[in-house]
Amino acid sequence: MARLGRWLERDHSADIAEIRPLFTARLTDVASNRFARQWGERYLAGDGDLRRSMLAGLAQASAELEPRGELGLRLFRRLYAQADNLRLLVDLRADMLRWRNQVAGLATLEGELGSLLSSWFDVGMLELQPITWDSPASLLEKLIQFEAVHEIRSWEELKHRVAADRRCYAFFHPRMRGVPLIFVEVAFAADMAGDVQVLLDPQVPADSPHDARWAIFYSISNTQPGLRGISFGNFLLKRVVDELLRELPKLKSFATLSPIPGFVNWLSRQDGQAMQSLLHEKSDRLEALDDAEAGKKWVERLQAAAVGEASDTIRRTGLRMALHYLKAMKDGHPLDPVARFHLGNGARIERLNWAADSSSKGLLQSCGVMANYLYDLDELDDNLAQLAAGKPRVGRNMRWL
C-alpha cells in the first residue's frame, strides 16, 4: 500500500513501468495480484480527481501493449479475481464512460471492460427477487436512491409502492449482494391505467391483485451507470410476467404507463415548415414556414394546456404529434429511448394519455403526455418483425390520430 501511495503521489507518466505488470504479468503472479488489490481499494476510496488520474495511468500503461488482445483484458480479470465483489469493475466502467472522451486511450479500455461485464452479468446469473415493505431497510433506501422515473419523496410513498397490493421485482447479481441492478414497479387495475398521479397517490384505494385483469408496469429503473448498454431489462419484464401469471392466474393483460422523455426536446427543434407537415387541421397552423421557433411555441401551448383548460383541438394535436414522434426511427431504432426499449421487446403503442403526468418533470419531458405500451404475449414476435421493417406497431384504437 505504501508503494502504491508513493506511485500515486508522483507523476504517473514517469512510472508507467510500475503499473504495466497489471496487464502483462501472469494471473497467478503474487506481487501483481497484491498490487491489484491495493490499487482497487485505493480507487474505491478515492475522489473524482484521484480516480481520473488513476484511470489515466492505466490508459498510458496499456497504450503500447503488443499484441493487445488478451493482455488488454488481463487487468480486469485480475481485478475481478482480487476484488470481494463486482462493485469495483462497475464503478470503473461508469467512470470510463464519463471520461472516455477526455482521457487518451480510455475509450479502448472501456470497450474491453464492457465486453467482460456483458459476460459477467449474463442474465442466466441474475437472481429475480421481490422487494416488499419487509425487505431490509438498506435495500428499501436504494429504491428511493435509484428511482429514475417517478421520484419517491417520502417513506409513505415508498411503502405504497411496495405494499401488498403492488409488486416490485429486481435483478441481483450474486457478487453484488443487496444491490438491485434494475427494478420494476407494478400496479394492478381493472382497465389499462392512463393517469400516473392516480397510481402514485397513497390515498387512492388500490385494486386487489387477485381480482385484477391488468398488470401495469409504471416504473423501470436501472441503478448502475457502469452497466449502461448491457441489456437485461427485457429479460426482467419477461421473468416478471411469468412470475405474475404463476401467482395471479386471473391476469389477462400486461401494459406499461410510460413517460415519453424525448418528446419536448424533439418538438422544440421543429421549425415552421416541419410543423406544417405535422398539423393536419388548418386551424392549428399558426406559424409561418420560416418560423424557427414554431416547435418551441407548440411546446409552450401544450404545457399550458396540460395544467389548464385544453380544447379538443389542442389535445388532439398534441397527441398526434406525440404519436408521430414515437413512430419516428433513426438507424433502424425508435428515437425515444423508452419507446426503443418497449418496442424492442415486442410491445406495441396501444394508447396515448393526455395530461397523464402533471409533475414538473412530466411537463418538461413530454408536456404531460404518457404512453401505454401493450405486451400481447401472442404478438411479440410479429411486432418485432414489423419494427424491423421500420413500422412500429400501433394499436387499432390509435387510428383516429
Side-chain angles (χ1 to χ4, degrees):
M1 185 64 78
R3 178 188 170 205
L4 176 65
R6 290 193 299 271
W7 179 83
L8 290 169
E9 291 170 0
R10 295 198 301 267
D11 176 13
H12 293 192
S13 61
D15 299 285
I16 295 305
E18 295 190 35
I19 201 171
R20 187 167 287 124
L22 291 178
F23 293 92
T24 58
R26 291 175 302 173
L27 287 176
T28 55
D29 186 85
V30 175
S32 295
N33 289 343
R34 183 185 302 115
F35 187 61
R37 175 177 285 275
Q38 294 170 348
W39 190 97
E41 291 172 353
R42 184 66 181 269
Y43 190 88
L44 287 174
D47 59 15
D49 289 340
L50 177 60
R51 287 187 172 197
R52 177 169 171 163
S53 180
M54 293 175 73
L55 286 177
L58 288 185
Q60 291 178 52
S62 69
E64 298 179 1
L65 294 177
E66 190 65 38
R68 188 172 184 95
E70 177 62 25
L71 293 181
L73 302 174
R74 189 170 296 178
L75 163 72
F76 305 120
R77 297 188 191 280
R78 191 185 307 280
L79 291 174
Y80 177 80
Q82 298 306 311
D84 295 329
N85 56 51
L86 279 169
R87 179 190 163 198
L88 169 62
L89 283 307
V90 174
D91 281 5
L92 268 179
R93 184 163 183 263
D95 291 339
M96 288 177 176
L97 288 168
R98 177 183 175 189
W99 294 313
R100 64 180 175 181
N101 294 327
Q102 303 170 28
V103 177
L106 202 54
T108 300
L109 284 176
E110 182 274 314
E112 291 168 335
L113 178 54
S115 67
L116 286 176
L117 288 176
S118 293
S119 62
W120 292 337
F121 283 88
D122 180 85
V123 67
M125 301 181 63
L126 303 182
E127 302 169 356
L128 181 69
Q129 297 179 18
I131 301 177
T132 71
W133 186 242
D134 294 325
S135 297
S138 58
L139 178 55
L140 294 176
E141 287 176 343
K142 288 183 174 64
L143 293 191
I144 297 176
Q145 176 186 354
F146 293 122
E147 169 61 54
V149 184
H150 303 294
E151 180 185 6
I152 302 175
R153 295 166 295 184
S154 67
W155 282 94
E156 180 187 13
E157 289 187 4
L158 175 62
K159 186 174 184 179
H160 177 59
R161 300 204 195 182
V162 296
D165 52 27
R166 298 287 174 102
R167 295 294 183 273
C168 180
Y169 295 93
F171 265 154
F172 294 82
H173 192 282
R175 289 195 64 181
M176 289 183 69
R177 296 290 182 186
V179 179
L181 306 178
I182 182 173
F183 60 90
V184 58
E185 299 166 57
V186 188
F188 301 97
D191 300 294
M192 189 166 57
D195 188 329
V196 78
Q197 276 77 221
V198 174
L199 283 184
L200 298 179
D201 188 350
Q203 305 305 318
V204 175
D207 293 296
S208 168
H210 298 280
D211 298 328
R213 295 294 184 268
W214 285 81
I216 307 297
F217 306 113
Y218 63 92
S219 180
I220 302 174
S221 298
N222 289 287
T223 71
Q224 303 300 310
L227 298 179
R228 192 173 79 196
I230 300 173
S231 178
F232 34 67
N234 53 344
F235 296 101
L236 172 68
L237 287 186
K238 292 170 183 175
R239 290 274 298 275
V240 168
V241 166
D242 290 341
E243 184 69 17
L244 291 175
L245 286 173
R246 183 192 63 78
E247 180 191 1
L248 305 168
K250 289 185 178 181
L251 287 174
K252 300 299 182 183
S253 302
F254 301 87
T256 76
L257 183 56
S258 299
I260 312 176
F263 177 52
V264 164
N265 186 45
W266 169 83
L267 184 56
S268 296
R269 298 196 306 270
Q270 308 305 309
D271 59 18
Q273 187 167 355
M275 293 304 302
Q276 290 283 21
S277 65
L278 292 173
L279 301 175
H280 292 246
E281 300 183 24
K282 292 182 179 180
S283 58
D284 293 343
R285 300 177 182 176
L286 305 179
E287 283 73 45
L289 290 175
D290 60 353
D291 186 355
E293 303 291 315
K296 291 182 179 179
K297 292 175 181 176
W298 265 103
V299 166
E300 294 172 359
R301 291 190 190 106
L302 296 178
Q303 289 174 335
V307 294
E309 294 294 328
S311 68
D312 288 341
T313 299
I314 288 287
R315 185 184 299 111
R316 183 169 56 252
T317 299
L319 295 179
R320 182 182 296 122
M321 289 189 290
L323 179 59
H324 183 90
Y325 166 67
L326 289 180
K327 293 173 64 179
M329 306 275 285
K330 182 178 181 181
D331 299 329
H333 302 284
L335 284 179
D336 187 79
V338 176
R340 192 181 310 136
F341 175 80
H342 290 298
L343 296 178
N345 288 338
R348 70 170 182 251
I349 306 170
E350 185 67 9
R351 189 174 72 186
L352 293 179
N353 304 282
W354 176 261
D357 184 359
S358 59
S359 68
S360 58
K361 182 178 180 180
L363 293 173
L364 288 173
Q365 286 187 339
S366 64
C367 302
V369 180
M370 298 190 76
N372 294 119
Y373 297 96
L374 180 69
Y375 281 83
D376 187 327
L377 303 184
D378 294 327
E379 296 185 359
L380 299 182
D381 291 336
D382 290 341
N383 293 345
L384 284 172
Q386 188 162 324
L387 179 67
K391 299 179 179 180
R393 180 69 61 86
V394 176
R396 293 180 179 179
N397 61 353
M398 298 284 286
R399 290 178 179 176
W400 67 277
L401 291 177

